[in-house]
Amino acid sequence: MTPDGPLIVGGGMAGALLALLLRHHGCPSVTLVESHPLPTEAPPETPSFDARSTALSAGSLRVLEQLGLLAPLLERAASINEVHVSRQGRLGLTRMLAGEHRLPRLGAVVENRWLGYLLVNALYRDDAIEVRAPDGVQAARRVSDGYVMTLNDGSERHTPLLIAADGANSRTRDWLGITARQQDIGHDALIANVAVAEPHQGRAFERFLDDGPMALLPLPDQRMALVWTGPRDQVDAWMALDDEQALDALHQRMGAAPPALTAIGERHRYPLVLTEACAQAVPFGAVVGNAAHTLHPVAGQGFNLSVRDLAALAEAVGAAAHPGELARLSQWQQARRADQAWVTRASRQLPEWFRVRQPLFAHSRQLGLLALDLLPGPRRDFARRAMGLQ
Ligand SMILES: Cc1cc2nc3c(=O)[nH]c(=O)nc-3n(C[C@H](O)[C@H](O)[C@H](O)COP(=O)(O)OP(=O)(O)OC[C@H]3O[C@@H](n4cnc5c(N)ncnc54)[C@H](O)[C@@H]3O)c2cc1C
């Protein structure tokens, strides 16, 4: 068996992007194994490329630009020009504006299926990426210079670097001998697309409600993507409403800021189980994407954080003769630690922070929002971090 290049298990947003980034950074060949079909002629339908939309930060857009994917992405994405953050029942409102950061946009919102379509087609355009989909790994055996993977058809692949990108319940992570902490927070995320009465002008709205944060993100064609996270029994109640009742409830909760909502599409829910791998680098192995950290979707940071992890990993190992060398992988993990800690902490604490009801806390939160709006320094720092620019 001849030694192959890195082998990625999981061809979702993280795995597919990593394969392309590794090639971009000089990796001679990559194998990608995905359990669902990845067709080229139509958007894929997988657990990653589903009905959701993703808010991509300015930093993530830059990474996609390096791969030549920004222009086609923007054909079917909506730019975020402003973000409005508010708290139900309070006056405080903070706005982040693209112009303040001298950026053409703060980010862009894309439907996951369109992102999937672009990534999958880019994978197939590169002859040095072997896409095995639908396929799976039956067994993994550690050898002196990597792993030998047995695929579903019984064929074997040697890899000097096995990468787990197979989601929060990653089996590949287990093969690498890495455990994960998982916390079911008893909340679900509810998503749906809504139609708006007037153009949204690239405004995104994030509103902290008593029972959880709600976001409305701009989409092309006068539509917006709703993401609301709340206690499971309340999500049950929302799912049971008819469309008209659901729109009424939304209007009450979003306050006066966003444009009027005229229709709501199919609603989907996702249980929120926060996951954190106990390590992301071991000899001949790395863990990325949801398999490494599954975050609360409160600020739309999960994939954006992963993009920064992936770009750094591809840069660290892409052209290396021995990509699975522990020293190299540990250096990558170490370099990513501070950003991961900041984003993980912020996305855990933000919903709690805004939930506190005691008058004193509520007042200081309100001041916090107002201060963020009035003081350019802290707001700029916060926004730049959230956009993945520092
Ligand atoms: C409601 C919601 C909204 C979100 N919004 C945003 C946002 O706006 N911005 C943002 O940055 N992030 C957002 N996120 C986070 C984002 O969705 C995740 O970061 C992203 O899905 C991670 O992708 P992934 O490829 O690591 O994992 P997944 O999406 O879980 O994909 C894993 C892939 O591995 C495959 N797989 C699983 N097991 C195997 C196996 N044994 N063999 C082969 N293949 C396998 C699966 O089929 C799948 O394709 C949101 C999350 C949720 C829940």
Side-chain angles (χ1 to χ4, degrees), residues 242-270:
D242 67 29
D243 287 358
E244 209 172 312
Q245 292 168 328
L247 281 177
D248 282 349
L250 258 176
H251 278 126
Q252 280 170 24
R253 281 158 179 251
M254 283 311 288
L261 313 175
T262 55
I264 184 163
E266 198 178 338
R267 283 164 261 168
H268 302 264
R269 65 195 296 172
Y270 298 83

Side-chain angles (χ1 to χ4, degrees), residues 9-10 35 47 164-175 178-184 271-277 287-294:
V9 183
S35 53
D166 47 350
N169 299 314
S170 168
R171 212 173 146 208
T172 312
R173 195 176 56 208
D174 297 341
W175 279 323
I178 298 174
T179 53
R181 284 183 285 270
Q182 293 201 307
Q183 186 196 357
D184 183 343
L272 296 185
V273 181
L274 309 184
T275 302
E276 197 179 348
V287 185
V288 298
N290 269 347
H293 40 68
T294 308

Side-chain angles (χ1 to χ4, degrees), residues 18-179:
L18 179 60
L20 298 170
L21 285 169
L22 283 167
R23 289 282 300 132
H24 181 72
H25 285 281
C27 190
S29 69
V30 181
T31 300
L32 182 79
V33 181
E34 162 60 41
S35 53
H36 289 71
L38 293 177
T40 49
E41 62 285 357
E45 297 202 16
T46 70
S48 209
F49 304 128
D50 61 7
R52 282 170 296 170
S53 298
T54 296
L56 295 167
S57 67
S60 297
L61 295 179
R62 280 188 193 165
V63 172
L64 291 168
E65 189 173 20
Q66 287 166 14
L67 298 174
L69 295 177
L70 182 60
L73 181 114
L74 291 178
E75 279 172 24
R76 291 214 206 165
S79 292
I80 304 175
N81 304 322
E82 292 181 28
V83 181
H84 292 224
V85 184
S86 62
R87 165 79 168 90
Q88 185 179 25
R90 304 278 158 206
L91 278 176
L93 168 77
T94 190
R95 273 191 308 266
M96 297 173 201
L97 307 172
E100 271 180 350
H101 302 276
R102 294 196 190 85
L103 291 168
R105 57 186 71 80
L106 292 169
V109 186
V110 63
E111 287 171 272
N112 284 17
R113 289 206 178 101
W114 180 241
L115 179 61
Y117 178 79
L118 297 177
L119 291 173
V120 167
N121 275 278
L123 291 172
Y124 282 107
R125 275 197 299 273
D126 186 337
D127 291 341
I129 299 178
E130 184 195 17
V131 180
R132 310 263 320 191
D135 204 345
V137 175
Q138 276 181 7
R141 196 171 77 245
R142 172 76 196 276
V143 291
S144 61
D145 58 352
Y147 278 84
V148 173
M149 314 297 292
T150 309
L151 303 183
N152 279 350
D153 64 1
S155 66
E156 291 195 331
R157 289 279 183 295
H158 173 276
T159 180
L161 176 58
L162 173 60
I163 298 163
D166 47 350
N169 299 314
S170 168
R171 212 173 146 208
T172 312
R173 195 176 56 208
D174 297 341
W175 279 323
L176 292 172
I178 298 174
T179 53

